[in-house]
């Protein structure tokens, strides 16, 4: 289970992780000198993985690079301060990322009275009310004294054993959040695996640059392993690439998933305390470990009001990797405030009729976690059939999964296309009508040339 810390600066996140694991996540000279966490830190036990994040408001971009890959949120709140501005912002981010598991560590209880501790717990309950962490336990700790650490560790390990493992279905993709070199191993990239499995010897791609790489060796949760899978923290030693060619925000993917994009359709939610989101607003988008400037084109309304959500098409300033189901966070153009977030629905949206009732209905179908819902609607809507390879890429489905879906829905498959039975019959009727018209026009001809028939009023079929 991957645990991410969250909370205001100086509330004891790094100290707490060290007490739980024995690992000091502050590895940079700047962090040692200033006494604050600047970048992501990592620590592991046999059953738990920790991503320690900065708490400073100016370092939210670093916090977000680690937050998108976690399973469990450990909200750290100091008893003397109680909830603070970054406590609230980090909690909003947890909500936007769809995290449903978490706990609160009430730190520094050795520095406060029992009365103040109870008051802080009341403030925390009020903060969590109405969120996914409303029922999360509040566990008092004093990391420097070791007080409550065993109880917190026991709770986290219990949650890890009860957690359902992330299914490893689909092709492999890993969001790169760190790259370094190691003597004898070469270039190392680390990140959270979003999907699929990986093993020593696999041929993969660094995306978006499309650089071929080979897995020389790997570590899972900081232990040597022969293979890894979705939901794990993985370090890959790669052949064929230099450290200077890798940047945080890139992906290591199986070749079929290399599909850099500059726009996608999404469901976007605006936080209750933010202004309404207007059409073509400039934002910073955080997805995986990436941070990229973008603009929001609204599809279902003229504005998304605070506390509500709607459909949007997001246009990016540069290529990124994304697939349907990926969660993202939106910050304002100056990158000072978190304004909302959402979920990717379609990485190959149409350029025309993007606001039509049919397209809005398709977005609603794409928002369903069941891939059969959208495939069935697409087959019913599209007279020229659904391109299965494109649909499969968007959902990270292989050919076997697509064939199974088509059989389940009773679709007609022709090469890479799938048709609903009704659409297939309509095409047959159109074809015979076109043939009949040509025979009537030229009864002395034995038939119709293929090229001429393709120019008849039929959908643009291959």
């Amino acid at each position: 289970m991957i645990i991410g810390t969250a909370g205001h600066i100086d509330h004891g996140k790094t100290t707490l992780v060290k007490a739980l694991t024995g690992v000091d996540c502050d590895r940079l000279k700047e962090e040692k000198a200033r006494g604050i966490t600047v970048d992501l830190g990592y620590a592991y036990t046999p059953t738990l993985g920790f991503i320690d994040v900065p708490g400073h408001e100016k370092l939210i971009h670093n916090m977000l690079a680690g937050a998108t890959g976690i399973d469990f949120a450990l909200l750290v709140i100091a008893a003397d301060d109680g909830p603070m501005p970054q406590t609230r912002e980090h909690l909003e981010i947890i909500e936007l990322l769809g995290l449903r598991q978490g706990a609160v560590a009430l730190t520094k209880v050795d520095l406060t009275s029992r009365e103040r501790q109870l008051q802080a717990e009341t403030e925390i309950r009020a903060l969590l009310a109405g969120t996914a962490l409303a029922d999360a336990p509040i566990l008092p700790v004093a990391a420097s004294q070791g007080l409550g650490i065993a109880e917190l560790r026991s709770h986290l390990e219990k949650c890890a054993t009860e957690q359902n493992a992330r299914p490893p279905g689909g092709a492999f993709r890993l969001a790169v959040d760190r790259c370094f070199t190691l003597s004898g191993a070469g270039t190392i990239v680390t990140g959270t695996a979003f999907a699929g499995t990986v093993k020593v010897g696999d041929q993969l791609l660094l995306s978006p640059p499309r650089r071929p790489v080979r897995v020389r060796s790997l570590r899972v949760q900081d232990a040597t392993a022969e293979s890894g899978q979705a939901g794990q923290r993985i370090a890959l030693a790669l052949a064929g690439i230099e450290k200077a060619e890798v940047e945080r925000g890139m992906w290591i993917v199986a070749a079929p998933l290399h599909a850099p994009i500059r726009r996608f359709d999404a469901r976007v939610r605006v936080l209750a305390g933010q202004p309404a989101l207007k059409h073509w607003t400039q934002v910073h988008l955080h997805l995986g470990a990436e941070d990229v400037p973008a603009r929001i084109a609204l599809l279902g309304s003229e504005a998304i009001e605070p506390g509500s959500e709607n459909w949007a098409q997001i246009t990016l300033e540069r290529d990124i990797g994304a697939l349907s189901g990926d969660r993202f966070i939106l910050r304002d153009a100056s990158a000072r405030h978190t304004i909302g977030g959402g979920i990717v629905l379609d990485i190959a949206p149409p350029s025309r009729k993007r606001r039509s009732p049919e397209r809005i209905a398709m977005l609603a179908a794409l928002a369903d976690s069941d891939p059969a819902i959208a495939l069935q609607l697409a087959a019913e809507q599209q007279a020229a059939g659904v391109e299965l390879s494109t649909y499969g890429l968007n959902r990270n489905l292989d050919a076997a999964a697509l064939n199974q879906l088509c059989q389940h829905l009773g679709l007609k498959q022709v090469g890479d296309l799938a048709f609903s039975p009704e659409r297939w019959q309509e095409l047959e009727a159109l074809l015979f009508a076109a043939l009949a018209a040509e025979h009537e026009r030229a009864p002395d001809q034995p038939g119709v040339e293929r090229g001429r028939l393709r120019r008849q009023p039929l959908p643009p079929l291959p």
Side-chain angles (χ1 to χ4, degrees), residues 328-404:
F328 58 85
I329 300 296
L330 300 174
R331 307 198 82 218
D332 67 334
S334 62
R336 294 183 60 189
H337 306 288
T338 300
I339 60 177
I343 185 168
V344 178
L345 300 179
D346 191 355
I347 64 169
S351 56
R352 298 174 62 250
K353 299 183 178 180
R354 60 185 185 179
R355 288 174 173 240
S356 68
E358 292 79 12
R359 180 58 186 170
I360 298 303
M362 176 55 66
L363 290 175
L366 287 165
D368 195 294
S369 60
D370 183 356
I373 303 297
L375 180 57
Q376 183 171 28
L377 180 60
E380 292 170 354
Q381 284 187 355
Q382 297 168 207
V386 181
E387 290 186 1
L388 292 174
S389 57
T390 302
Y391 186 84
L393 170 63
N394 188 53
R395 292 269 189 167
N396 195 2
L397 301 171
D398 60 20
L402 287 169
N403 288 336
Q404 187 175 10

Side-chain angles (χ1 to χ4, degrees), residues 97-174:
L97 291 176
L99 290 166
R100 296 292 178 263
Q101 280 191 298
V104 178
L106 184 62
T107 59
K108 304 185 181 183
V109 294
D110 55 325
L111 304 180
T112 61
S113 65
R114 176 60 178 165
E115 182 181 3
R116 172 55 199 158
Q117 180 181 331
L118 293 173
Q119 184 181 359
E121 291 182 8
T122 301
E123 294 169 358
I124 292 168
R125 283 298 171 208
L127 174 68
L128 299 181
T131 73
L133 300 186
D135 298 324
I138 301 174
L139 303 166
V141 296
S144 59
Q145 308 293 325
L147 176 65
I149 296 301
E151 290 81 1
L152 176 57
R153 185 188 297 112
S154 176
H155 176 75
L156 296 175
E157 290 176 346
K158 180 175 179 291
C159 291
T161 59
E162 294 174 349
Q163 182 192 41
N164 294 324
R166 195 180 305 184
F172 181 73
R173 60 194 299 250
L174 176 140

